[in-house]
Amino acid sequence: MGTNQSMHVRLQKKQKMTQQELQRQYQRNLSEQQLAEHLSARQALENSTSFARGAQDFKQIPGINGAAPSVIASTANNESFYHQRATTIQSTSDARGRQNFRWIDGRRHHNTEGAPYILPNDIDEMDRLHLQHYVIRHAFGGNTRAKFDGKIHKDVLDVGCGPGTWILEMSTEHTETNFTGIDISAVWPTEIRPRNCRFQVVNAIEGLPFEDNTFDFVYQRFMIMGYPAKSWPFIIQELVRVTKPGGIIELTEIPVVSNANGPELTRVMEILEQGCLAKGLDTKVARKLDGLLQQAGLEDVKACHASIPMGAWGAKVGQLMRENSAGVWSSLKGLIKELADLNDAQYEAMIKRIFVEYETHKCYVNCYCAWGVKPHPKVASTSTSESLSPPGTSDTITSSPPTNHAAVV
């Protein structure tokens, strides 16, 4: 065999995809296929009064008929695959020389001191967050529950933006508005993004690096596993501080529990909740969002929730939420294995039983949203009559309430 021919054969072998890469490509294609089906059926679902369940929902969907999608088989849990990535990825360090990420049970996590966020920040978790975004957008009928007006909201902050799915969509749609996304991990696009969109590494627990009254609209979601319970009031006050008077703050969270659980899911959720409480997290903060905004002084506070099915019984949205759930269980594998003292085989068997319960018990999750308006400063009166008012009466008159931009869409 000639030298050129031998080199060509070696190149062909080098370019051949590994089993893990093939598996990953299959999973991505599956996600894209399901998303395409979801988007094409979106109008029909919105017009229906309930989620229909038909035989077509059970065809060619992994995990139906008693078999759950393999969590162990995912490249997210293949330690040799991640070990290879760990030796090839160029890691950056902070000012103290500490690596910006660490590895737990084959998954890459942040390494930010004082931040308890328990989910990974690797590419598999980013894929899951992309999928979750589309499910939540459908559940609430859009990217915000508060009324967003690009003519009014010229500066927007997305706190805990992750891979930037929400902010990239919003900045593409509202081209005259400036969007800023912040997160403890730089997992957003670094090259291809709209010109009106920028990102910044920030640990919100330590405060926000912005001037007072900077943003017209502040958006934050899914930080229930990222903020200590004691930090929530301070963080909300920081959101209020950087919001302009008349501006809107919107919060969205899903509790660390689901609804209509079977016995296996109930047991695991109790274990997870205790683990979160041990880390100082508030597992029930999703139901307190409106109260937090009211305590911070916001006006016109409104709240709502959407019930999202988990499983094929909930048609396309249920299937997508079920796939999102598979990603969550994969991301939480290391933590739950430690909390429940399980090995890989036991964890896999547990996940299979949970996915069966999704269908038999028709499980669902509630996603909570609250939003409100930052009031304009109160104006002190200087009239003669009020300057002579008797002791014990107020010398301040509350200004007329600001225009409410937070009407339900």
Side-chain angles (χ1 to χ4, degrees):
M1 182 181 294
T3 303
N4 292 339
Q5 187 177 1
S6 176
M7 184 179 296
H8 177 70
V9 171
R10 287 199 300 271
L11 285 173
Q12 281 186 321
K13 289 182 179 179
K14 186 176 181 180
Q15 292 171 356
K16 185 178 179 180
M17 295 181 72
T18 65
Q19 179 64 31
Q20 289 89 356
E21 290 171 332
L22 288 170
Q23 223 170 24
R24 181 170 183 77
Q25 185 64 47
Y26 166 77
Q27 291 168 346
R28 282 184 167 175
N29 289 342
L30 181 64
S31 299
E32 292 171 1
Q33 178 184 351
Q34 289 188 324
L35 280 173
E37 291 175 354
H38 161 60
L39 293 174
S40 64
R42 179 176 178 179
Q43 189 63 47
L45 284 172
E46 290 175 347
N47 292 336
S48 65
T49 56
S50 62
F51 289 104
R53 178 180 178 179
Q56 68 276 7
D57 294 328
F58 295 88
K59 294 180 179 178
Q60 298 180 349
I61 302 171
I64 303 303
N65 300 324
S70 175
V71 176
I72 304 303
S74 168
T75 56
N77 297 280
N78 187 305
E79 295 188 13
S80 62
F81 172 77
Y82 269 96
H83 175 73
Q84 180 182 3
R85 292 180 68 180
T87 59
T88 57
I89 292 177
Q90 180 68 31
S91 171
T92 57
S93 303
D94 62 12
R96 301 177 185 177
R98 183 176 56 244
Q99 293 292 304
N100 283 345
F101 56 77
R102 56 200 169 96
W103 298 84
I104 302 175
D105 204 65
R107 299 299 300 271
R108 195 186 77 177
H109 291 250
H110 77 85
N111 197 29
T112 304
E113 188 175 2
Y117 191 70
I118 64 177
L119 294 173
N121 67 359
D122 53 29
I123 190 170
D124 291 272
E125 176 64 6
M126 298 308 106
D127 287 346
R128 184 192 71 79
L129 291 175
H130 287 313
L131 172 63
Q132 180 178 256
H133 165 79
Y134 296 114
V135 176
I136 300 304
R137 187 182 68 182
H138 173 83
F140 284 128
N143 277 322
T144 64
R145 283 298 283 139
K147 184 178 179 181
F148 187 91
D149 188 343
K151 296 179 180 179
I152 299 174
H153 304 127
K154 294 298 185 182
D155 293 287
V156 176
L157 176 65
D158 182 7
V159 181
C161 64
T165 321
W166 181 88
I167 197 173
L168 290 170
E169 278 195 2
M170 290 291 287
S171 58
T172 301
E173 182 178 354
H174 303 280
T175 57
E176 300 304 315
T177 297
N178 296 314
F179 290 84
T180 301
I182 62 173
D183 201 286
I184 59 173
S185 299
V187 291
W188 45 73
T190 57
E191 297 180 2
I192 303 177
R193 62 189 186 209
R195 59 173 178 79
N196 58 328
C197 179
R198 71 184 185 95
F199 297 95
Q200 186 173 343
V201 175
V202 173
N203 181 5
I205 297 173
E206 299 177 349
L208 301 179
F210 306 109
E211 298 291 334
D212 296 358
N213 308 321
T214 299
F215 300 99
D216 303 291
F217 197 105
V218 175
Y219 184 80
Q220 175 184 282
R221 69 180 180 187
F222 306 144
M223 297 306 298
I224 192 169
M225 292 187 176
Y227 294 157
K230 63 181 181 180
S231 297
W232 274 94
F234 167 73
I235 292 170
I236 299 300
Q237 285 293 348
E238 278 292 276
L239 301 185
V240 175
R241 179 183 65 80
V242 301
T243 302
K244 296 177 184 178
I248 295 174
I249 299 175
E250 178 170 321
L251 310 174
T252 300
E253 296 291 341
I254 296 178
V256 182
V257 293
S258 55
N259 301 82
N261 299 338
E264 188 71 40
L265 185 55
T266 298
R267 183 182 72 86
V268 176
M269 284 297 188
E270 289 175 352
I271 293 173
L272 177 60
E273 185 170 22
Q274 290 304 312
C276 290
L277 291 174
K279 292 181 178 293
L281 305 177
D282 186 346
T283 60
K284 295 180 173 61
V285 73
R287 298 185 180 93
K288 306 174 186 177
L289 300 178
D290 54 341
L292 287 170
L293 294 179
Q294 290 169 345
Q295 292 169 15
L298 266 63
E299 298 178 343
D300 301 315
V301 174
K302 293 180 174 62
C304 68
H305 77 272
S307 296
I308 308 173
M310 306 212 10
W313 72 271
K316 299 301 181 185
V317 172
Q319 295 165 24
L320 290 172
M321 196 61 180
R322 183 179 178 283
E323 184 181 345
N324 175 71
S325 169
V328 172
W329 292 123
S330 175
S331 293
L332 291 172
K333 176 192 165 199
L335 175 63
I336 295 179
K337 278 174 56 183
E338 178 184 355
L339 293 172
D341 192 22
L342 301 174
N343 59 34
D344 282 350
Q346 292 170 328
Y347 189 80
E348 179 76 6
M350 179 190 72
I351 297 301
K352 289 182 178 180
R353 293 192 295 271
I354 288 175
F355 273 77
V356 172
E357 288 184 355
Y358 284 166
E359 308 300 335
T360 58
H361 288 72
K362 295 188 175 181
C363 302
Y364 64 95
V365 295
N366 285 331
C367 185
Y368 295 84
C369 182
W371 61 100
V373 179
K374 180 177 178 177
H376 290 272
K378 295 180 180 180
V379 179
S381 172
T382 57
S383 65
T384 304
S385 60
E386 289 185 354
S387 65
L388 299 176
S389 58
T393 59
S394 174
D395 291 333
T396 303
I397 296 179
T398 303
S399 63
S400 57
T403 303
N404 176 19
H405 300 306
V408 179
V409 176

